[in-house]
């Protein structure tokens, strides 16, 4: 597959914005910078941030054992997903394929870019239906979004199914691994070299505990990364975010400890939820949240709210009738949740 044929012509021909700082990044501190109309008085953030975030990407490159040229950072995964759609999908002509029930942003981002959405439901086990996907795809189907572990269903998509889709879908396959740190499945990062059409996205918003700084990470071939770099806003990752993220990556032990605690709490919660009398089903989870089916989702959602507990009501998602989604909280929060569920009638 030649990725070049999938990239929009206007993206191939555009001249990227060259920021003042691009040309002089190697020299840094002993130069006098009079090129970017900044305020010269140092307060820690008076200079524009590194547009390519080299320090942060070097650290990520080391942790993930992947070249810097295979990494792009975004202002949250959401920015990355938007850039991907804009590189590959011609407005009012191309389409993307999503597999509901899944993350709502793929659809929103496609809509804002005037890109058609073709939906192919996950099957009853929340796995992709390969034949239905390939039947629905046409020559304008540029991107297939796979979310694994999937939100809101919490399961991982089967590796053999994903592999089959990577081989047979004639476009870009994005695997959204926002929850991969909570799963025992291997990341697809390790297989980037095998599939030129593969893009893996991860985020610091979940296991890394940094939803507030907005940092998404995209891994793909050098060709795809350099193309995304051509259209990204020059200073998309601010200086405070770069610093905070780096501090966290330098102290990765904390992330591991917190993730282990969350997984332990998740398993306790799954056990306790199954003992609540109006809970009909607790779905298996590979993520930091749990999907359950109850007798009446609207009623239970409101009762929880009256008790000061906010959960996500997913009852209107396809195949999720009467489903609620709970994020795994602290031990105290989870105990309060369980106590409340056992008390309400
Ligand atoms: C939470 C989540 C993300 C993270 O998005 P950010 O913009 O990085 O915070 C991405 N994909 C899925 C499926 C999610 O649930």
């Amino acid at each position: 597959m030649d990725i070049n044929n999938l990239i929009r012509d206007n993206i191939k021909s555009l001249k990227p914005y060259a920021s003042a700082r691009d040309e002089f990044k190697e020299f840094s501190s002993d130069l006098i910078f009079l090129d970017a109309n900044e305020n010269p008085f140092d307060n820690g953030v008076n200079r524009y941030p590194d547009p390519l975030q080299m320090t942060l990407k070097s650290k990520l490159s080391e942790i993930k054992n992947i070249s810097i040229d295979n990494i792009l950072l975004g202002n949250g995964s959401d920015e990355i997903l938007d850039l991907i759609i804009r590189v590959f999908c011609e407005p009012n002509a191309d389409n993307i394929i999503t597999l509901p029930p899944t993350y709502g942003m793929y659809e929103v981002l496609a809509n804002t870019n005037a890109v058609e959405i073709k939906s192919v439901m996950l099957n009853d086990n929340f796995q992709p239906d390969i034949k239905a996907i390939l039947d629905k795809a046409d020559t304008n189907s540029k991107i297939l979004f796979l979310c694994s572990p999937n939100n809101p269903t919490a399961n991982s998509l089967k590796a053999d199914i994903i592999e089959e889709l990577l081989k047979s879908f004639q476009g870009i396959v994005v695997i959204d691994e926002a929850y991969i740190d909570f799963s025992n499945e291997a990341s697809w990062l390790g297989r980037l070299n095998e599939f030129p059409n593969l893009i893996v996205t991860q985020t610091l918003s979940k296991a890394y505990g940094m939803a507030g700084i907005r940092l998404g990470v995209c891994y793909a071939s050098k060709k795809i990364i350099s193309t995304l770099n051509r259209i990204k806003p020059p200073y998309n990752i601010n200086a405070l975010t770069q610093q905070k993220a780096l501090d966290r990556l330098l102290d990765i032990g904390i992330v591991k400890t917190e993730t282990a605690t969350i997984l332990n709490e998740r398993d306790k919660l799954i056990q306790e939820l199954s003992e609540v009398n109006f809970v009909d089903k607790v779905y298996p989870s590979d993520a930091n949240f749990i999907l359950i089916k109850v007798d009446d989702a609207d009623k239970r959602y409101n009762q929880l709210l009256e008790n000061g507990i906010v959960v996500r009501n997913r009852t209107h998602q396809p195949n999720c009738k009467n489903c609620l989604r709970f994020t795994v909280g602290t031990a105290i929060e989870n105990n309060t949740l369980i106590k409340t569920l056992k008390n309400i009638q």
Side-chain angles (χ1 to χ4, degrees), residues 54-108:
M54 293 311 276
T55 312
L56 183 51
K57 284 200 286 202
S58 315
K59 188 68 202 164
L60 265 175
S61 145
E62 186 189 313
I63 293 172
K64 299 285 182 173
N65 192 23
I66 194 165
S67 161
I68 289 180
D69 305 335
N70 295 112
I71 308 175
L72 173 118
L73 302 180
N75 186 357
S77 313
D78 294 343
E79 183 183 51
I80 291 169
L81 299 169
D82 186 56
L83 291 172
I84 295 170
I85 291 176
R86 286 195 282 146
V87 160
F88 295 105
C89 297
E90 198 63 44
N92 301 307
D94 290 333
N95 64 75
I96 62 158
I97 299 184
T98 68
L99 313 182
T102 193
Y103 188 45
M105 278 309 283
Y106 314 133
E107 191 172 330
V108 172

Side-chain angles (χ1 to χ4, degrees), residues 93-208:
D94 290 333
N95 64 75
I96 62 158
I97 299 184
T98 68
L99 313 182
T102 193
Y103 188 45
M105 278 309 283
Y106 314 133
E107 191 172 330
V108 172
L109 293 169
N111 277 327
T112 58
N113 286 296
V115 167
E116 187 199 339
I117 299 139
K118 289 184 184 286
S119 309
V120 183
M121 289 279 290
L122 293 171
N123 69 19
D124 289 342
N125 298 317
F126 296 136
Q127 292 295 331
D129 180 337
I130 299 176
K131 184 172 184 310
I133 292 167
L134 297 176
D135 283 351
K136 193 113 180 194
D138 59 27
T139 52
N140 289 107
S141 301
K142 295 294 172 66
I143 310 174
L144 169 62
F145 285 98
L146 305 178
C147 186
S148 183
N150 186 42
N151 179 4
T153 59
N155 64 303
S156 297
L157 307 186
K158 289 204 176 104
D160 56 334
I161 297 178
I162 293 181
E163 179 157 355
E164 183 60 38
L165 287 167
L166 277 162
K167 288 176 176 160
S168 48
F169 178 69
Q170 295 300 304
I172 298 292
V173 177
V174 175
I175 306 182
D176 182 341
E177 294 190 338
Y179 300 100
I180 191 69
D181 304 284
F182 303 105
S183 160
N184 291 325
E185 296 284 315
S187 165
W188 284 83
L189 208 53
R191 302 192 62 185
L192 224 43
N193 291 334
E194 289 173 57
F195 306 103
N197 58 336
L198 170 61
I199 299 180
V200 176
T201 63
Q202 297 183 356
T203 179
L204 266 67
S205 298
K206 307 287 157 60
Y208 285 77

Side-chain angles (χ1 to χ4, degrees), residues 157-339:
L157 307 186
K158 289 204 176 104
D160 56 334
I161 297 178
I162 293 181
E163 179 157 355
E164 183 60 38
L165 287 167
L166 277 162
K167 288 176 176 160
S168 48
F169 178 69
Q170 295 300 304
I172 298 292
V173 177
V174 175
I175 306 182
D176 182 341
E177 294 190 338
Y179 300 100
I180 191 69
D181 304 284
F182 303 105
S183 160
N184 291 325
E185 296 284 315
S187 165
W188 284 83
L189 208 53
R191 302 192 62 185
L192 224 43
N193 291 334
E194 289 173 57
F195 306 103
N197 58 336
L198 170 61
I199 299 180
V200 176
T201 63
Q202 297 183 356
T203 179
L204 266 67
S205 298
K206 307 287 157 60
Y208 285 77
M210 309 210 97
I213 69 170
R214 312 303 302 127
L215 192 78
V217 190
C218 172
Y219 303 96
S221 70
K222 290 178 182 146
K223 174 71 191 170
I224 293 175
I225 294 296
S226 64
T227 309
L228 291 167
N229 264 322
R230 289 162 61 80
I231 69 159
K232 82 170 184 68
Y235 303 113
N236 62 328
I237 311 298
N238 72 66
L240 301 177
T241 293
Q242 293 188 40
Q243 190 54 56
K244 275 278 190 191
L246 186 64
D247 292 347
R248 191 71 162 170
L249 294 178
L250 290 169
D251 204 356
I252 202 112
I254 296 184
V255 176
K256 302 240 155 86
T257 311
E258 289 178 359
T259 302
T261 306
I262 290 167
L263 291 182
N264 187 40
E265 281 297 312
R266 178 185 77 191
D267 294 344
K268 263 172 44 192
L269 254 184
I270 287 175
Q271 180 57 38
E272 287 169 315
L273 283 166
S274 64
E275 290 160 14
V276 176
N277 61 30
F278 55 80
V279 172
D280 293 336
K281 181 163 186 175
V282 182
Y283 293 86
S285 174
D286 256 348
N288 67 334
F289 59 86
I290 300 167
L291 189 74
I292 65 172
K293 195 182 271 298
V294 296
D295 54 348
D296 182 342
D298 291 335
K299 172 177 162 189
R300 302 308 177 183
Y301 174 87
N302 285 320
Q303 287 175 316
L304 284 169
L305 204 53
E306 282 158 19
N307 284 276
I309 299 175
V310 185
V311 303
R312 196 88 158 124
N313 186 353
R314 298 283 77 184
T315 191
H316 297 299
Q317 292 279 300
N319 241 343
C320 292
K321 190 159 171 24
N322 284 322
C323 286
L324 299 175
R325 193 192 71 192
F326 304 98
T327 309
V328 179
T330 63
I332 292 172
E333 290 170 335
N334 302 333
N335 285 340
T336 306
L337 170 69
I338 292 296
K339 226 187 290 166

